[in-house]
């Protein structure tokens, strides 16, 4: 990934992608950047990470509000996709989103059965928010067409792996 030009990296927090107007402001900032390598890091939309972690808590306690809370996340992201994307692009985004929601529902069902979710489960569930906001933004930016041919979504789970724990003995 070396380039003659240095990479410019922008990080946008949850408030920066809270709603459709915020997504549009972020796109304007990105499009105003000079040509060259540009990387964007987006958080989950404001409140989504907390809502996802609340789903885990609701599953652990077998609280019936879990289904409604997941439905609220679905509605929020469906609305965002409808406001930001063409009907075809919204359908494509929502297909992947619904697969994620089905996976999430299955995971939460398992948590409800066992009544316990380890930290890794919470991390996995919370990570969906970033996946959704970045996939949505990628589709939105691509449709705006100013950088369309040069927009690529990269799954950070595949390029950054951090393992916590005691140091391992290195045998070399």
């Amino acid at each position: 990934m070396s380039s003659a030009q240095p990479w410019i990296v922008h990080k946008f927090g949850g408030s920066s992608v809270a709603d459709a107007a915020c997504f549009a402001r972020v796109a304007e900032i990105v499009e105003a950047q000079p040509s060259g390598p540009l990387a964007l890091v987006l958080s989950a939309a404001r409140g989504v990470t907390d809502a996802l972690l609340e789903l885990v808590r609701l599953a652990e306690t077998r609280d019936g509000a879990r289904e409604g809370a997941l439905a609220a996340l679905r509605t929020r992201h469906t609305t965002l996709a409808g406001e930001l994307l063409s009907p075809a692009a919204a359908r494509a985004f929502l297909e992947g989103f619904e697969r994620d929601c089905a996976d999430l529902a299955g995971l939460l069902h398992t948590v409800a059965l066992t009544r316990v979710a380890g930290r890794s489960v919470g991390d996995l569930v919370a990570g969906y928010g970033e996946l959704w906001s970045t996939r949505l933004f990628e589709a939105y930016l691509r449709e705006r067409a100013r950088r369309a041919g040069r927009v690529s979504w990269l799954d950070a789970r595949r390029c950054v792996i951090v393992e916590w724990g005691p140091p391992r003995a290195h045998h070399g």
Side-chain angles (χ1 to χ4, degrees):
M1 283 185 134
S2 67
S3 173
Q5 292 180 295
W7 280 80
I8 297 171
V9 179
H10 290 276
K11 165 68 168 90
F12 296 97
S15 294
S16 298
V17 290
D19 58 29
C22 292
F23 270 81
R25 279 193 295 278
V26 169
E28 290 167 5
I29 291 167
V30 169
E31 291 164 348
Q33 298 301 305
S35 63
L38 179 65
L40 307 175
V41 179
L42 275 69
S43 294
R46 182 179 53 217
V48 169
T49 300
D50 289 341
L52 287 163
L53 292 173
E54 177 66 3
L55 285 174
V56 175
R57 190 195 67 74
L58 293 170
E60 285 181 312
T61 60
R62 295 187 181 173
D63 190 316
R66 183 175 85 235
E67 288 77 22
L70 183 54
L73 281 171
R74 273 189 164 109
T75 299
R76 181 171 182 189
H77 287 84
T78 300
T79 300
L80 271 172
E83 291 173 350
L84 294 170
L85 304 174
S86 68
R91 275 191 304 278
F93 168 78
L94 291 171
E95 284 174 12
F97 175 76
E98 286 301 327
R99 281 191 303 273
D100 287 348
C101 285
D103 291 346
L104 182 56
L107 183 59
L108 294 169
H109 177 72
T110 300
V111 170
L113 290 173
T114 61
R115 290 184 179 244
V116 66
R119 179 179 171 166
S120 62
V121 171
D123 291 346
L124 177 65
V125 169
Y128 278 104
E130 283 82 10
L131 294 174
W132 298 337
S133 66
T134 57
R135 287 178 187 152
L136 183 58
F137 188 74
E138 182 232 357
Y140 178 58
L141 195 60
R142 189 175 297 280
E143 281 206 324
R144 288 174 63 104
R146 293 189 184 97
R147 287 187 179 251
R150 300 171 294 178
V151 176
S152 298
W153 182 83
L154 178 64
D155 189 337
R157 299 172 300 177
R158 298 189 184 272
C159 63
V160 177
I161 299 171
V162 178
E163 293 185 18
W164 297 104
R168 296 182 191 182
H170 178 69
H171 302 286

